[in-house]
Amino acid sequence: MKKFAIFLGLFFGTAGIAVAQSGDAEAGKEKSQVCAACHGPNGESPSDMYPHLAGQHEKYLLKQLKDYKRASETGGEEGRNNPIMMGQVASLSEQDMADLAAFFASQEEPKGETAEDIIAQGRDLYRRGNPETNMPSCAGCHGPRGNGLGLAAFPDISGQHAAYTKSQLEMFRSGDRANDPNGMMQGVTEKMTDDEIELLSKFLSGLY
């Protein structure tokens, strides 16, 4: 295994949202203590079941929190349906969510690793997509290094746990996750095979 600063990017895409109010990172640090069990004290998750939050774009984090909140209010019919997170955000105010997003965005993003033997194949799939199945390039939305687009709220997916990335791609493909604007990620993942999802998930983990 070796760390690589390689080109890549991809997926939990969401369109831009307006930040209702400015978040306070210091206030968010205090409020984040309940998040630490799953996401780590600074947003670097110790378990590959849960995402790293450190260094993620503030607008993206805020949108996800609002989507979980919406799901908690609609019994999962709208927003982002996740029983754990729906319970966590149910009592959060708009300011609480803004503060949490500001705090995690202010933290240093983690650095992951990619196995050397999959770099070339993963990079090609990421850059070109799969022309035979009309799977588009991932770099178009997430950038050559997977840093995403903060203003558009496309997430930074570099250095993310491979297992978490894989689970989200599979959920987009199945429709279990549907909080992507205009079904963008659902449209991409429905063209992806299991092997392509596995490859991209592992490749993304070492991108930074």
Side-chain angles (χ1 to χ4, degrees):
M1 301 290 288
K2 183 178 180 181
K3 292 185 177 179
F4 283 88
I6 47 184
F7 290 103
L8 168 52
L10 163 355
F11 89 83
F12 316 93
T14 61
I17 56 171
V19 179
Q21 62 256 41
S22 178
D24 182 329
E26 283 301 313
K29 182 177 181 179
E30 291 295 319
K31 297 172 183 179
S32 73
Q33 293 180 15
V34 69
C35 311
C38 293
H39 298 288
N42 296 312
E44 188 168 348
S45 176
S47 169
D48 65 8
M49 293 175 57
Y50 308 113
H52 295 309
L53 304 180
Q56 185 57 266
H57 298 301
E58 186 173 349
K59 288 177 70 174
Y60 176 78
L61 290 170
L62 181 56
K63 181 185 187 303
Q64 300 312 300
L65 289 170
K66 287 185 173 182
D67 285 353
Y68 286 129
K69 178 87 167 180
R70 182 62 178 161
S72 74
E73 295 169 343
T74 63
E77 293 297 319
E78 299 177 23
R80 185 173 176 182
N81 191 343
N82 179 286
I84 295 175
M85 284 303 302
M86 287 161 61
Q88 291 295 321
V89 303
S91 63
L92 295 182
S93 67
E94 292 277 325
Q95 189 63 55
D96 291 335
M97 291 187 285
D99 292 344
L100 286 168
F103 167 68
F104 286 119
S106 71
Q107 302 304 294
E108 183 176 355
E109 65 178 306
K111 307 299 183 184
E113 296 181 338
T114 296
E116 189 170 1
D117 61 351
I118 70 166
I119 290 174
Q121 187 180 6
R123 180 170 54 211
D124 183 66
L125 181 62
Y126 173 75
R127 288 179 173 178
R128 295 196 313 121
N130 185 341
E132 293 183 0
T133 60
N134 294 318
M135 174 195 158
S137 161
C138 307
C141 291
H142 296 280
R145 293 184 178 275
N147 300 133
L149 297 170
L151 292 177
F154 292 130
D156 180 346
I157 51 173
S158 60
Q160 189 57 261
H161 289 303
Y164 178 77
T165 298
K166 179 175 181 288
S167 72
Q168 298 308 296
L169 290 173
E170 291 172 341
M171 289 176 69
F172 277 126
R173 186 175 62 178
S174 68
D176 289 336
R177 179 174 173 183
N179 71 324
D180 50 327
N182 302 314
M184 292 172 64
M185 282 307 304
Q186 295 174 72
V188 172
T189 53
E190 69 183 10
K191 298 178 174 66
M192 297 177 69
T193 66
D194 289 344
D195 287 344
E196 287 172 337
I197 286 177
E198 182 85 18
L199 176 63
L200 283 172
S201 299
K202 290 180 178 178
F203 183 54
L204 284 164
S205 68
L207 179 69
Y208 58 92

